[in-house]
């Protein structure tokens, strides 16, 4: 695992976007694993800027997102499909984008379908991850065993509270989600994790130095051969000590 402490959020986003742009240049039909949340917004802005300057072409790229809230359709402005359209897909020449369907009649069947979608593309070439304050990656919450495949998950109180800032009230925050499993994520050839802000400092420390345990889901990334973690000074503060 490589850890890069950047001077600030802007530098973090610039460095991470270069990894994705380089992948697209080297392999124009690559599969990108994408993430939502406030952290990757700046990186998506960088990619849109590169696209506008004709430095990157998404026409053959395939994308798969990590997760989606159960019960929210793509036109709900809090759904992750909406987030991706708004922050990236509407601004680039995309063709093949995939986000789990949160309103599928049978969510378990949707998880199986999604797992097949990822497998049929030959797996993910570069996977982007954020990290929850509680160490979750995608919506793989702290638990007793690392979940392997795409599955339906009950969100923890910590995550529901962290997500409440985007909703009118706590009652509106979805309590369930569909998420790629840890096994699905670990099969990606390359993984880039981003974290900024003091709230992430402890979980970044635990991810890098703590025990590898499903209680800190991101800790398993230490077993992956090609992971780069970019943190700003605040999220990396405990690493320096
Ligand atoms: P955030 O969420 O980027 O909004 O902090 C990250 C996550 O929960 O994975």
């Amino acid at each position: 695992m490589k850890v890069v402490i950047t001077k600030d959020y802007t530098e973090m986003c610039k460095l991470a976007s270069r990894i994705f742009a380089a992948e697209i240049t080297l392999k124009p039909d690559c599969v990108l694993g994408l993430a939502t949340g406030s952290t990757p917004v700046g990186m998506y802005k960088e990619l849109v800027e590169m696209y506008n300057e004709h430095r990157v072409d998404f026409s053959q790229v395939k994308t798969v997102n990590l997760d989606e809230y159960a019960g929210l359709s793509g036109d709900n402005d809090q759904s992750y499909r909406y987030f991706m359209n708004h922050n990236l897909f509407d601004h680039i020449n995309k063709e093949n984008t995939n986000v789990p369907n949160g309103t599928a009649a049978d969510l378990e069947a949707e998880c199986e379908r999604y797992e097949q979608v990822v497998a049929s593309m030959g797996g993910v070439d570069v996977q982007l991850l954020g990290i929850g304050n509680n160490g979750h990656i995608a919506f793989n919450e702290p638990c007793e065993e690392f979940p392997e495949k795409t599955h339906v998950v009950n969100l923890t109180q910590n995550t529901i509270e962290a997500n409440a800032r985007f909703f009118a009230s706590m009652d509106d925050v979805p309590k369930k989600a569909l998420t790629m499993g840890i096994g699905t994520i670990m099969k990606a050839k390359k993984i880039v994790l981003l974290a900024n802000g003091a709230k992430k400092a402890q979980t970044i420390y635990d991810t890098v130095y703590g025990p590898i345990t499903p209680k800190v889901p991101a800790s398993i990334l230490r077993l992956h051969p090609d992971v780069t973690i970019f943190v700003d000074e605040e999220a990396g503060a405990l690493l320096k000590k």
Side-chain angles (χ1 to χ4, degrees):
M1 173 179 279
K2 193 169 146 195
V3 180
V4 180
I5 301 181
T6 63
K7 126 172 147 271
D8 55 21
Y9 177 74
T10 306
E11 186 183 57
M12 180 181 97
C13 295
K14 277 192 196 304
L15 293 178
S17 68
R18 283 185 204 154
I19 294 181
F20 284 82
E23 183 71 25
I24 298 168
T25 305
L26 291 170
K27 188 178 177 190
D29 61 348
C30 62
V31 179
L32 302 182
L34 300 179
T36 52
S38 45
T39 312
V41 170
M43 194 198 96
Y44 293 148
K45 280 203 177 107
E46 291 289 334
L47 288 176
V48 170
E49 203 173 303
M50 285 185 201
Y51 169 73
N52 288 334
E53 291 167 356
H54 308 290
R55 287 155 59 203
V56 61
D57 171 14
F58 292 87
S59 58
Q60 296 176 63
V61 170
K62 299 184 261 311
T63 71
V64 282
N65 262 78
L66 288 167
D67 45 16
E68 178 60 282
Y69 286 120
L72 298 197
S73 66
D75 53 11
N76 183 309
D77 64 2
Q78 292 309 326
S79 72
Y80 286 168
R81 163 53 80 179
Y82 187 98
F83 173 101
M84 289 308 301
N85 289 347
H86 181 73
N87 284 289
L88 183 66
F89 300 150
D90 287 350
H91 312 290
I92 58 172
N93 59 338
K94 50 89 186 56
E95 283 291 334
N96 188 339
T97 68
N98 298 273
V99 180
N101 176 5
T103 54
D106 180 341
L107 293 179
E108 303 291 341
E110 171 60 9
C111 290
E112 273 173 40
R113 183 196 71 82
Y114 202 72
E115 193 69 26
Q116 289 306 317
V117 167
V118 179
S120 70
M121 289 177 174
V124 173
D125 290 301
V126 192
Q127 177 68 59
L128 177 66
L129 296 175
I131 184 168
N133 301 336
N134 63 3
H136 75 207
I137 46 176
F139 271 136
N140 292 283
E141 299 281 39
C143 58
E144 298 305 317
E145 274 177 30
F146 291 111
E148 191 191 342
K149 294 192 169 159
T150 305
H151 59 287
V152 180
V153 64
N154 292 317
L155 302 178
T156 60
Q157 193 56 27
N158 180 301
T159 297
I160 292 167
E161 282 167 19
N163 293 346
R165 68 192 195 276
F166 300 113
F167 291 85
S169 80
M170 193 70 98
D171 288 346
D172 293 333
V173 187
K175 311 293 182 291
K176 278 182 192 284
L178 290 74
T179 181
M180 275 190 197
I182 294 285
T184 329
I185 293 169
M186 287 292 279
K187 280 190 207 143
K189 295 182 187 87
K190 183 192 284 285
I191 296 177
V192 175
L193 184 146
L194 308 182
N196 66 297
K199 274 194 196 154
K200 303 284 171 77
Q202 185 61 51
T203 199
I204 287 294
Y205 179 87
D206 294 342
T207 297
V208 176
Y209 289 120
I212 296 174
T213 164
K215 295 194 177 357
V216 182
S219 63
I220 200 169
L221 297 174
R222 299 223 301 277
L223 301 179
H224 189 283
D226 188 352
V227 175
T228 306
I229 296 191
F230 290 100
V231 288
D232 70 350
E233 294 271 356
E234 287 183 350
L238 299 177
L239 301 178
K240 287 182 162 177
K241 288 180 190 158

